[in-house]
Amino acid sequence: MLFGFMQIRENAESIFNKWFDAYEELSPALGLYFATRTGAYQLLDGKFLALAQGLEVYHGRTLNRKRMSLRERVEELIEPFSRFLGTSEEQKDLKNREL
């Protein structure tokens, strides 16, 4: 569970409505994500590819609709979380890793 009812009780209706609206547009990305969480992909490579594809779909539909390489999408998506992703050298290695 991502959150408990007590956390959303003040505006539960609004949160559920936003979720349903977002789900319509993001269902391909969410489907790929939840498939990795429920064990649909047994091999690590399959999980990674599904997550990478899910990020690409999510990014393309929400953040930036222009054509970008996967590397550019990864860079843009991890930017806000860079402080959680190791040293700058480790982040550089992650961005430059061949997919």
Side-chain angles (χ1 to χ4, degrees):
M1 188 61 71
L2 299 174
F3 52 83
F5 179 72
M6 297 305 285
Q7 293 173 288
I8 65 166
R9 72 178 175 189
E10 299 296 322
N11 57 348
E13 182 179 359
S14 172
I15 290 172
F16 285 122
N17 286 334
K18 287 178 183 177
W19 168 255
F20 291 131
D21 291 342
Y23 191 81
E24 283 185 35
E25 184 168 342
L26 300 175
S27 62
L30 293 172
L32 288 162
Y33 170 73
F34 287 126
T36 65
R37 302 294 297 173
T38 60
Y41 296 94
Q42 299 299 313
L43 300 176
L44 187 57
D45 289 351
K47 287 180 184 181
F48 174 78
L49 290 173
L51 289 172
Q53 186 178 15
L55 282 173
E56 187 173 15
V57 169
Y58 170 78
H59 187 261
R61 291 183 179 217
T62 60
L63 302 176
N64 195 339
R65 297 190 187 281
K66 70 178 185 175
R67 291 188 65 72
M68 299 174 82
S69 70
L70 181 57
R71 182 179 192 273
E72 291 170 323
R73 288 185 194 278
V74 169
E75 285 178 354
E76 193 168 307
L77 285 165
I78 68 173
E79 172 70 30
F81 309 102
S82 62
R83 69 176 191 254
F84 302 109
L85 298 173
T87 66
S88 60
E89 190 62 35
E90 290 170 325
Q91 290 176 35
K92 184 178 174 184
D93 289 345
L94 176 65
K95 293 173 188 176
N96 292 325
R97 192 171 292 165
E98 286 191 34
L99 299 175

